[in-house]
Amino acid sequence: MSFDGFLTRALVFELQNLVGGRINKIYQPFEQELQIVVRSNRKNYRLNASIHPVYYRLHLTDEKPANPTHAPMFCMLLRKHIENAQILAIQQVENDRIVECLLSGRDELGDQQTYRLIYELMGRHSNILLINHEDKIIDCIKHVPASQNTYRTLQPGGLYIYPPHHVGQLNPFNDTEMNQLAQDTNLDLQTWVKNIQGLSQIGQASLMAQVEQENIYRLSVLERFKLGVLKPQPQTIQTDNKWLYYFYPLKHVQGKITEYANLSELISQYYDEKVRHDRIKQLSGDLIQKINEILKRNRLKLAKLEQDYQKAEQADLYRIKGELLNTFAYQVEKGQDQISLPNYYEADQALLIDLDPRKSVSENSQTYYRKYTKYRDAIRYINEQRDLTFAENDYLEGILVQLERANIEDVESIKEELAQEGYASQRKTATKKRAKVKTKPRQFHSTDGTPIYVGRNNQQNDELSLKLSPRNHWWLHARNIPGAHVIIGSDKPSDQTFTEAAQIAAYFSKFSQSANVPVDTVQVKALHKPNGAKPGFVIYEGQRTLFVTPDETLINQLAE
């Protein structure tokens, strides 16, 4: 996990802006999340914390989630004790993932009291606790009885004890323990790195890579890490199968690097995206799996159709054999199982024809004519089935693209569309009248200020392209690729606007990670929807094709 002791220390330095401020508001929007609004230096800061077993984190945020009608008990208790309290200090415990906020406030009798609000960011053991001046637990967001943890009990009224220390690990920010690390350099590098407290596997790999690749003394690299805490360079790296982040450049990892102004911005965006994907996956259930199964079945069907087509292509050969048997019937002797007859369609070349010795010449000829008729009709059927299957694959692959880019509110409308098309069961609750949140198309603005609209799902694509947009505005779509409909809100957009809109169309398509993506553009009046076509499908003529490479950074800048 990237959220290790070094990153926590860098974050604590970043949170020093809160020291001296007062706690104005306390919210608990979700069972495992807590938000505290701090007024400091004439500015409001939102300190967000989560004890999710996988996505545990602590950072500043601008997000204001909807809060429950009735605040949970832990939130009410915090409001009672530390609302309006002053933050005296924010500090890390050793080099561990434990952050303490030292607070000064008044109790219910008006007496001045000191409290500690402790954030323990430790995976499934994460917790948030309020401790009084006697080190007694006032309450915690997650209670842990003695039956679950024999080392310490996390219950109101219990004595607070720090989590157990990893045996053998040394704090590099403690002078005494740092000296011991200096003396342990005779250990092999991997063992020595594991002795450093608060260094995650990602950090360990980065430290070892710098020592080995740059041939630098191991203590010098460790000092780099310690200095990096004071001046972090937060970044994410996206590889083929992973998305990593750290407070320090991960030079040993190859991938797409995105840099951030501060750690809170990185953590907020990284986990917002991870949580979004998780919630979408939860909402869509087995929908994606079902679509992939249909696509797999269709690919097998297309392979089988191709085999049948190759056989059916021999239809004319069966007709010729039937004709030759009729023409040269006098040459066929009774009981023959094969005969070679001159083929007047191929410059009198001989054609070997198999016969059923139990049948007459006329019957054998009719057998070949029946095969000809069967395969002639089969070609028509095979072509129809191939067209239908390709169209269905394009539609379903487009749905997968939409789910990949979907917001949580988009998933429900996509599921309803699939139910209407017969790909998902219609829920009973869907038949009841209930308020629905109707989402608007995504909106961007080109560099010169021209609005650009992007459909979120197929039904919205149809509505945007065929109903809402003026006929002289411009429509774009990745050519022959599943993707979103894009509308330029102008009848005479600049070349730069065309290019930027084409990049947006390529980005919201199946080939979002590709270079030189073809994008077609026509005016809206050139669009037509065939009768019975699936949602989102249109035909057009007279298009101009642009070739662009999506630039995610630019697209994010153009987003409204």
Side-chain angles (χ1 to χ4, degrees):
M1 193 66 184
S2 300
F3 213 115
D4 62 8
F6 281 85
L7 187 146
T8 303
R9 183 169 289 262
L11 181 64
V12 166
F13 278 109
E14 188 174 291
L15 297 180
Q16 294 307 305
N17 286 335
L18 305 184
V19 175
R22 289 193 177 275
I23 297 175
N24 273 358
K25 299 289 183 181
I26 302 173
Y27 304 105
Q28 191 176 343
F30 304 105
E31 182 182 0
Q32 297 178 318
E33 289 190 20
L34 184 72
Q35 268 199 10
I36 294 179
V37 180
V38 179
R39 181 72 177 176
S40 179
N41 300 318
R42 300 181 182 179
K43 184 178 178 181
N44 286 338
Y45 297 88
R46 283 182 174 266
L47 182 62
N48 187 75
S50 172
I51 63 163
H52 190 281
V54 178
Y55 303 136
Y56 57 90
R57 61 196 183 277
L58 178 68
H59 59 96
L60 296 173
T61 183
D62 294 325
E63 184 183 2
K64 299 178 181 179
N67 292 293
T69 307
H70 301 289
M73 289 298 297
F74 183 67
C75 179
M76 294 292 289
L77 182 138
L78 290 183
R79 289 175 179 176
K80 173 183 175 182
H81 286 277
I82 62 173
E83 204 164 59
N84 296 318
Q86 184 179 19
I87 300 177
L88 303 179
I90 300 177
Q91 58 198 22
Q92 181 188 26
V93 176
E94 296 188 348
N95 197 36
D96 215 337
R97 292 169 296 174
I98 304 174
V99 177
E100 291 188 349
C101 295
L102 183 62
L103 310 173
S104 176
R106 296 187 180 277
D107 59 18
E108 58 271 20
L109 299 178
D111 296 331
Q112 198 75 25
Q113 299 287 348
T114 57
Y115 302 93
R116 284 187 296 156
L117 185 63
I118 300 179
Y119 299 93
E120 296 181 351
L121 308 170
M122 298 181 166
R124 61 190 180 91
H125 301 295
S126 298
N127 213 333
I128 303 174
L129 308 98
L130 183 64
I131 312 298
N132 67 13
H133 65 283
E134 297 177 339
D135 288 337
K136 296 285 184 67
I137 300 173
I138 298 175
D139 204 356
C140 48
I141 197 168
K142 181 172 66 178
H143 295 175
V144 181
S147 59
Q148 292 183 15
N149 191 329
T150 57
Y151 181 82
R152 60 178 190 154
T153 301
L154 302 180
Q155 298 273 24
L159 183 67
Y160 176 71
I161 301 173
Y162 286 115
H165 183 74
H166 288 283
V167 179
Q169 290 193 340
L170 301 170
N171 179 6
F173 295 95
N174 180 291
D175 292 339
T176 302
E177 296 184 23
M178 183 62 189
N179 289 335
Q180 189 172 339
L181 280 171
Q183 296 170 7
D184 285 347
T185 51
N186 59 327
L187 296 173
D188 67 273
L189 181 59
Q190 188 172 7
T191 303
W192 183 79
V193 165
K194 288 183 177 179
N195 286 344
I196 300 173
Q197 184 190 28
L199 196 59
S200 62
Q201 291 184 355
I202 291 175
Q204 292 174 12
S206 178
L207 193 152
M208 288 192 293
Q210 290 184 56
V211 172
E212 294 170 348
Q213 294 174 6
E214 302 179 33
N215 196 23
I216 300 176
Y217 188 45
R218 59 180 66 176
L219 282 175
S220 299
V221 178
L222 181 56
E223 288 297 335
R224 278 188 186 179
F225 269 65
K226 292 169 65 176
L227 289 173
V229 165
L230 300 175
K231 295 182 179 181
Q233 303 174 55
Q235 60 179 223
T236 59
I237 301 181
Q238 191 170 359
T239 65
D240 292 337
N241 55 0
K242 288 183 180 180
W243 191 21
L244 307 173
Y245 74 92
Y246 207 44
F247 78 100
Y248 191 79
L250 300 173
K251 297 180 180 179
H252 69 291
V253 180
Q254 299 296 320
K256 181 181 178 182
I257 297 175
T258 305
E259 297 180 346
Y260 294 84
N262 53 63
L263 275 171
S264 287
E265 182 183 344
L266 179 151
I267 295 168
S268 181
Q269 291 194 21
Y270 178 87
Y271 284 103
D272 283 352
E273 187 69 13
K274 295 286 280 186
V275 170
R276 183 183 73 84
H277 275 294
D278 258 19
R279 288 179 180 169
I280 288 173
K281 187 176 180 181
Q282 183 180 7
L283 284 172
S284 57
D286 61 350
L287 196 60
I288 294 175
Q289 181 181 353
K290 186 172 183 178
I291 291 174
N292 283 324
E293 287 175 356
I294 296 173
L295 288 171
K296 182 179 179 181
R297 187 167 66 243
N298 281 353
R299 294 185 189 106
L300 293 174
K301 178 181 177 180
L302 287 171
K304 185 71 166 55
L305 287 171
E306 182 61 30
Q307 293 175 1
D308 291 342
Y309 187 82
Q310 290 176 5
K311 291 180 182 179
E313 279 187 315
Q314 300 178 24
D316 278 344
L317 181 60
Y318 294 130
R319 178 183 58 79
I320 292 170
K321 287 182 177 181
E323 285 186 11
L324 294 179
L325 284 174
N326 281 337
T327 304
F328 299 102
Y330 63 91
Q331 295 185 21
V332 182
E333 297 179 2
K334 189 176 181 180
Q336 279 186 284
D337 58 2
Q338 274 186 340
I339 188 169
S340 181
L341 297 175
N343 182 7
Y344 41 73
Y345 288 103
E346 296 289 342
D348 294 332
Q349 292 183 4
L351 181 63
L352 186 64
I353 303 174
D354 292 325
L355 300 172
D356 186 343
R358 297 168 298 180
K359 296 179 179 179
S360 66
V361 177
S362 176
E363 289 172 338
N364 274 296
S365 175
Q366 290 301 315
T367 298
Y368 278 113
Y369 275 123
R370 282 194 295 271
K371 285 185 177 180
Y372 160 69
T373 304
K374 172 186 174 182
Y375 284 119
R376 180 198 62 192
D377 296 340
I379 287 177
R380 189 183 307 116
Y381 172 79
I382 289 169
N383 286 332
E384 289 175 357
Q385 288 299 309
R386 286 204 306 197
D387 290 345
L388 289 172
T389 306
F390 279 127
E392 183 177 49
N393 283 358
D394 286 344
Y395 173 72
L396 293 176
E397 286 174 354
I399 293 291
L400 292 178
V401 172
Q402 292 167 12
L403 287 172
E404 184 180 349
R405 300 288 184 191
N407 292 326
I408 294 172
E409 58 269 19
D410 300 334
V411 177
E412 197 64 37
S413 61
I414 293 174
K415 291 179 75 172
E416 289 180 7
E417 176 191 327
L418 288 173
Q420 292 172 7
E421 294 297 315
Y423 292 103
S425 58
Q426 189 81 31
R427 296 183 306 174
K428 292 181 180 179
T429 53
T431 59
K432 298 179 181 179
K433 292 184 178 180
R434 63 182 189 276
K436 294 182 180 179
V437 178
K438 187 174 182 180
T439 58
K440 296 181 179 179
R442 293 182 176 91
Q443 186 167 352
F444 299 80
H445 280 97
S446 64
T447 303
D448 61 15
T450 305
I452 300 171
Y453 306 95
V454 182
R456 294 175 180 271
N457 52 62
N458 286 318
Q459 293 176 341
Q460 197 174 86
N461 284 336
D462 280 348
E463 188 174 329
L464 177 64
S465 301
L466 303 174
K467 296 180 180 179
L468 299 180
S469 299
R471 290 172 57 80
N472 61 348
H473 284 186
W474 289 85
W475 177 90
L476 299 95
H477 193 283
R479 185 177 188 179
N480 298 327
I481 301 168
H485 291 205
V486 176
I487 295 291
I488 299 176
S490 170
D491 59 339
K492 295 179 180 178
S494 65
D495 289 342
Q496 184 179 17
T497 296
F498 267 122
T499 301
E500 291 172 349
Q503 287 199 41
I504 292 172
Y507 179 75
F508 286 96
S509 78
K510 186 180 178 181
F511 287 2
S512 60
Q513 302 299 320
S514 302
N516 221 25
V517 180
V519 176
D520 286 344
T521 177
V522 294
Q523 284 188 302
V524 171
K525 62 186 176 183
L527 301 176
H528 302 282
K529 189 172 186 66
N531 292 332
K534 290 186 178 295
F537 181 80
V538 293
I539 57 175
Y540 51 90
E541 293 178 346
Q543 71 274 12
R544 179 165 67 103
T545 303
L546 307 174
F547 291 86
V548 295
T549 299
D551 183 348
E552 187 173 2
T553 303
L554 172 64
I555 291 167
N556 289 335
Q557 291 172 355
L558 300 178
E560 190 174 60

